[in-house]
Amino acid sequence: MSDKDVALAGFSDRESAWAQESRDLGRQLLTIYAGTSEVTPNALDTAFQRWKADDVAQRPADNVVACGLGILFGDYVIAHRGGDWRMQTDAYGTDAVVVGPAKLKLFPVASVSKRMAPDNEDIAFFEPIWASLPAAHLPDPTPPVPWWRRLLGR
């Protein structure tokens, strides 16, 4: 799939409302399962681990957890590394994505969703994902096109 097959757009009013509702639910999950309101990758890992181990029949639904913790993680990345929320539509569907500097694309809600299966034991993933992201102050790794190539169109 090429870049031309991918459409990025800002959040619509409806998507912004969904993100805010998810953010609010995520904060509640963080307080209940991690015992804190401070959003950090470590706290998000703790909340996810404890939610997954919770065998109460009335625990929050998978999609609530994926959206809530995913949106909080995306917000954390944006606050500390830069970027903004977009909706990406491609051959696989539409998903919320954080688009940041240095061509960063992060799918935080999908990152949580894919770990929901009961047999998936990858339950400490926010911190490793965070640690793998480039620092905000690093320049774009793509070398600039020399002025003379831009002038000649090469």
Side-chain angles (χ1 to χ4, degrees):
M1 181 177 349
S2 69
D3 285 344
K4 69 180 180 178
D5 299 328
V6 175
L8 286 172
F11 277 12
S12 67
D13 290 344
R14 183 174 169 219
E15 291 158 344
S16 292
W18 161 79
Q20 186 56 52
E21 181 181 354
S22 296
R23 200 172 279 118
D24 294 342
L25 291 169
R27 285 189 187 106
Q28 290 176 26
L29 291 165
L30 203 58
T31 301
I32 292 166
Y33 286 105
T36 184
S37 60
E38 182 182 1
V39 179
T40 66
N42 193 21
L44 293 166
D45 276 333
T46 299
F48 185 77
Q49 291 165 4
R50 289 181 180 166
W51 169 83
K52 198 150 184 186
D54 189 356
D55 59 359
V56 175
Q58 297 299 321
R59 77 177 187 177
D62 291 4
N63 65 326
V64 170
V65 174
C67 293
L69 298 184
I71 290 290
L72 289 181
F73 185 54
D75 288 347
Y76 185 86
V77 170
I78 290 167
H80 293 86
R81 295 288 197 259
D84 58 349
W85 282 106
R86 298 275 186 233
M87 291 303 284
Q88 177 172 306
T89 302
D90 57 24
Y92 302 105
T94 301
D95 206 348
V97 60
V98 171
V99 178
K103 298 184 181 181
L104 170 72
K105 269 192 182 179
L106 179 67
F107 296 84
V109 175
S111 295
V112 181
S113 292
K114 73 181 204 175
R115 290 168 172 86
M116 292 293 179
D119 60 336
N120 188 332
E121 295 184 14
D122 185 13
I123 58 174
F125 56 92
F126 290 106
E127 188 65 43
I129 291 172
W130 172 249
S132 73
L133 297 177
H137 65 278
L138 293 178
D140 187 336
T142 307
V145 176
W147 67 269
W148 55 272
R149 284 201 175 171
R150 289 192 308 269
L151 183 66
L152 297 174
R154 296 183 191 172

